[in-house]
């Protein structure tokens, strides 16, 4: 033990403001936004809207709006204080007191907070990364501005109380001049965010405790816009187990502490959301899934307990980690995975079920299920690439599901068709031609290159093999005539129904 007889006095060493520059260095855009949603859930919000606001198709501002309890002025000051740790309840998702600042400064240089509760005057606070990293300066904003923001938030959520977090001066965005690249960037970002939030909060979404939505719109038109809901992505959402003996609970013991491992085996050849996550194949998500207060903190990975292998891709283990976090599991500030402490890793490989099933036997069962399901594998053949006029999401989906041919592509465009049909084929130029007459029906938003993604995709799936041929045969022409007649009839029926409803 270090002797204390040589102590003269005690001084207080304040943190250097420069540490702000390293805040949030490990946050992705989606994990940063998930951290903000955690704060909304802790504030008892039932609806949270993530708003990705653009100008000239580039992301320029991010907002997270909730209908939670809101903040009094002193609470707003505390929220903007680096490292401030409020009195967390056992059910809170917050943990370290740095999430709001670290998540925000990971992607933006300016963080603004607007909040109001049902009793106090609305408040606004703003911290700029450059100032904050110099002296932790925070700007207090006018009551008038905070009241305006409260009224905007009430219009969006229907609640007087709540909080709006705004990121501006973004560093994470597309900064080039190519419009198509900018649209692709924002489309991919939305997909990643939607998928990440859908899996991280799937329990809360499925139970109805939380409604999450994402809006992508021009910043000048966004005040009255409504976002699209985030769907829950359940990583254990299979209809039937791949092995009738599972799920089965094994128990890992470390001293007097025990942790239940709910061991699952997905069905072979699974290919649904939940097995696939963020558009990635399911083999990337084998391993441990750790929850804390119904929030998913770790999405797969074996955490150095065993090795990843293709044959183990059906194996997923659910751990309710609230009791183990802090002693056996260490959570990082980004809540992006956990560190399994050595005693826990050792206990996991020795875990057993009440019927004597061991951890190794569980892995063997998962491997056997995979091998049995893949004895006969039918391989999809690459197809021609959908390019100009199609959503970039379609190209990515085709590439992921079947692969695209190295040469050749199909485009789609709106034009006037003298034939009056819904669509036609320009085989020599590899184009699908859509009748402009139906554009307002099929793309009510209209005007963009990649509009009407559903009808464009359906016609592409009908016709892609025609474009893959060397010539337009008589059978191809007959099929095109059939599809055109049936789909045009359906479009005309839809027009009549729409006109009758509006009339």
């Amino acid at each position: 033990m270090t002797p204390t007889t040589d102590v003269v006095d005690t001084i207080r060493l304040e943190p250097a403001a420069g540490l702000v520059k390293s805040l949030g260095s490990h946050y992705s855009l989606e994990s940063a936004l998930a951290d903000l949603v955690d704060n909304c859930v802790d504030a008892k919000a039932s609806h949270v809207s993530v708003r990705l606001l653009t100008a000239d198709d580039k992301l320029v501002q991010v907002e997270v709006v909730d209908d939670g309890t809101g903040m009094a002025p002193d609470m707003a000051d505390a929220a903007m204080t680096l490292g401030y740790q409020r009195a967390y309840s056992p059910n809170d998702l917050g943990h370290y007191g740095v999430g709001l600042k670290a998540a925000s400064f990971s992607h933006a240089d300016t963080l603004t907070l607007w909040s109001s509760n049902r009793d106090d005057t609305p408040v606004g606070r703003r911290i700029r990364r450059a100032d904050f990293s110099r002296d932790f300066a925070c700007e207090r904003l006018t009551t008038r501005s905070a009241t305006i923001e409260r009224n905007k938030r009430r219009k969006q959520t229907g609640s007087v109380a709540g909080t709006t977090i705004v990121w501006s001066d973004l560093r994470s965005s597309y900064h080039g001049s190519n419009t198509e690249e900018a649209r692709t960037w924002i489309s991919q970002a939305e997909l990643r965010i939607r998928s990440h939030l859908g899996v991280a909060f799937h329990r809360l979404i499925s139970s109805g405790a939380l409604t999450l939505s994402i809006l992508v719109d021009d910043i000048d038109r966004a005040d009255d816009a409504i976002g699209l809901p985030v769907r829950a992505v359940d990583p254990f959402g299979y209809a039937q187990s791949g092995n009738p003996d599972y799920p089965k609970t094994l128990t890992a013991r470390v001293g007097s502490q025990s942790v239940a491992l709910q061991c699952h085996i997905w069905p072979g050849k699974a290919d649904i959301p939940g097995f696939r996550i963020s558009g990635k194949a399911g083999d990337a998500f084998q391993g441990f899934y750790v929850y804390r207060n119904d929030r998913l903190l770790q999405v797969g990975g074996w955490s150095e307990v065993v090795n990843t292998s293709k044959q183990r891709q059906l194996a997923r283990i659910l751990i309710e980690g609230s009791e183990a976090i802090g002693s056996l599991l260490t959570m990082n500030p980004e809540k992006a995975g956990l560190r399994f402490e050595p005693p826990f890793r050792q206990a996991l490989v020795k875990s057993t079920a009440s019927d004597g099933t061991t951890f190794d036997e569980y892995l063997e069962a998962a491997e056997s299920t995979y091998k049995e399901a893949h004895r006969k594998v039918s391989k999809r053949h690459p197809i021609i690439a959908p390019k100009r006029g199609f959503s970039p999401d379609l190209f990515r989906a085709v590439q992921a599901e079947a692969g695209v041919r190295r040469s050749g592509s199909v485009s789609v465009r709106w034009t006037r068709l003298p034939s009056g049909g819904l669509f036609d084929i320009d085989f020599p130029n590899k184009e699908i031609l859509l009748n402009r007459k139906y554009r307002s029906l099929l793309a009510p938003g209209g005007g963009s290159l990649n509009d009407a993604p559903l009808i464009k995709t359906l016609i592409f799936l009908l016709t892609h093999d025609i474009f893959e041929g060397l010539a337009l045969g008589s059978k191809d022409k007959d099929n095109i005539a059939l599809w055109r007649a049936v789909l045009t009839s359906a479009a005309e029926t839809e027009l009549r129904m729409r006109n009758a409803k509006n009339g």
Side-chain angles (χ1 to χ4, degrees):
M1 194 170 190
T2 304
T4 58
T5 54
D6 55 355
V7 175
V8 175
D9 59 13
T10 300
I11 60 174
R12 186 181 182 88
L13 301 175
E14 297 290 347
L19 68 85
V20 173
K21 295 178 181 177
S22 63
L23 276 180
S25 57
H26 298 294
Y27 276 105
S28 64
L29 180 58
E30 51 269 29
S31 67
L33 288 169
D35 214 330
L36 266 58
V37 175
D38 286 338
N39 294 339
C40 302
V41 172
D42 287 348
K44 313 303 181 189
S46 59
H47 184 274
V48 179
S49 175
V50 176
R51 298 159 59 83
L52 307 176
L53 307 183
T54 64
D56 298 326
D57 295 307
K58 299 176 185 177
L59 184 66
V60 295
Q61 186 162 297
V62 176
E63 298 178 357
V64 177
V65 184
D66 73 50
D67 63 352
T69 54
M71 303 182 193
D74 59 335
M75 292 176 61
D77 291 340
M80 301 298 254
T81 301
L82 185 63
Y84 176 83
Q85 289 187 298
R86 55 182 171 81
Y88 294 108
S89 76
N91 295 322
D92 281 347
L93 300 180
H95 197 69
Y96 291 109
V98 298
L100 172 62
K101 284 75 62 179
S104 301
F105 287 147
S106 66
H107 295 279
D109 284 335
T110 303
L111 163 63
T112 305
L113 176 151
W114 304 104
S115 192
S116 59
N117 57 26
R118 297 187 181 278
D119 301 316
D120 298 285
T121 302
V123 297
R125 300 287 186 268
R126 178 176 293 131
I127 51 181
R128 304 177 190 275
R129 187 165 175 258
D131 297 337
F132 204 62
S133 63
R134 191 167 51 244
D135 56 11
F136 298 114
C138 176
E139 300 169 359
R140 295 187 180 185
L141 308 179
T142 65
T143 300
R144 179 177 177 276
S145 298
T147 302
I148 291 172
E149 294 297 327
R150 179 196 63 187
N151 294 338
K152 285 170 54 178
R153 185 172 55 252
R154 179 166 51 186
K155 192 173 181 181
Q156 294 164 2
T157 68
S159 174
V160 172
T163 299
T164 301
I165 298 298
V166 181
W167 295 351
S168 49
D169 301 317
L170 298 178
R171 299 192 307 281
S172 294
S173 182
Y174 174 74
H175 295 289
S177 58
N178 187 308
T179 299
E180 194 61 33
E181 285 290 324
R183 289 175 179 171
T184 300
W185 189 96
I186 194 72
S187 173
Q188 291 176 343
E190 182 193 4
L191 182 64
R192 292 196 311 272
I193 294 165
R194 190 174 291 280
S195 180
H196 185 82
L197 297 182
V199 70
F201 298 97
H202 76 89
R203 286 184 172 180
L204 297 174
I205 296 171
S206 296
S207 70
L210 178 65
T211 300
L212 264 170
S213 64
I214 297 177
L215 170 74
V216 181
D217 207 343
D218 189 276
I219 193 168
D220 294 327
R221 300 194 302 263
D223 283 351
D224 298 321
I226 299 174
L228 297 176
V230 174
R231 297 181 59 184
V233 180
D234 185 354
F236 298 93
Y238 52 79
Q240 184 176 358
S241 175
N243 184 310
D245 294 330
Y246 292 85
K248 182 180 293 188
T249 300
L250 277 64
T251 303
R253 294 180 174 83
V254 182
S256 61
Q257 193 169 1
S258 61
V259 177
L261 314 176
Q262 193 179 100
C263 299
H264 294 251
I265 298 177
W266 268 78
K269 297 186 179 180
D271 193 27
I272 62 173
F275 187 67
R276 287 179 175 271
I277 299 174
S278 299
K280 298 177 182 177
D283 59 354
F285 301 101
Q286 57 187 279
F288 298 106
Y289 288 71
V290 184
Y291 291 82
R292 175 174 175 263
N293 300 332
D294 284 336
R295 205 277 211 194
L296 183 56
L297 297 176
Q298 176 157 320
V299 184
W302 290 111
S303 300
E304 300 181 351
V305 175
V306 294
N307 295 313
T308 299
S309 74
K310 186 174 183 178
Q311 289 71 32
R312 290 174 179 170
Q313 64 180 271
L314 305 179
R316 295 184 180 182
I317 300 176
L318 189 159
I319 299 176
E320 301 289 354
S322 296
E323 297 293 327
I325 290 174
S327 56
L328 306 178
L329 296 163
T330 301
M331 182 169 64
N332 59 34
E334 297 85 11
K335 304 189 184 79
L338 300 104
R339 184 174 74 246
F340 286 42
E341 300 300 337
F344 188 45
R345 295 203 302 267
Q346 295 166 14
L348 287 170
V349 296
K350 297 177 182 178
S351 62
T352 57
S354 58
D355 64 1
T357 301
T358 66
F359 189 82
D360 285 342
E361 287 170 339
Y362 159 64
L363 293 179
E364 290 169 3
E367 291 169 355
S368 296
T369 302
Y370 174 83
K371 291 174 184 176
E372 183 64 29
H374 288 76
R375 288 184 186 277
K376 295 181 180 180
V377 180
S378 59
K379 187 175 181 181
R380 293 168 175 164
H381 297 288
I383 62 179
I384 196 166
K387 283 297 184 71
R388 184 172 177 80
F390 291 103
S391 166
D393 291 337
L394 174 59
F395 177 85
R396 288 192 293 274
V398 169
Q399 191 174 44
E401 296 294 337
V404 295
R405 290 188 166 197
R406 293 182 178 180
S407 61
S409 64
V410 177
S411 299
V412 61
R413 63 183 174 91
W414 295 96
T415 187
R416 188 175 67 85
L417 292 180
S419 64
L422 174 64
F423 78 98
D424 207 345
I425 296 295
D426 181 352
F427 183 80
N429 292 315
K430 296 290 190 289
E431 276 193 321
I432 297 170
L433 307 176
L434 295 179
N435 195 338
R436 194 179 298 156
K437 169 185 175 182
Y438 300 102
R439 191 170 194 177
S440 60
L441 171 70
L442 301 173
S448 70
L449 179 67
N450 303 329
D451 58 8
L454 181 60
I455 192 66
K456 288 180 178 179
T457 298
L458 290 173
I459 295 177
F460 170 77
L461 291 175
L462 281 174
T463 61
H464 73 82
D465 58 342
I466 291 175
F467 290 107
E468 290 162 7
L470 298 177
L472 198 61
S474 58
K475 184 177 180 180
D476 294 330
K477 294 176 183 178
D478 186 58
N479 281 334
I480 292 169
L482 170 65
W483 299 331
R484 182 168 53 225
V486 172
L487 289 176
T488 301
S489 174
E492 287 294 330
T493 301
E494 182 71 24
L495 270 178
R496 290 195 298 271
M497 293 174 65
R498 188 77 58 86
N499 290 336
K501 181 178 180 181
N502 295 336

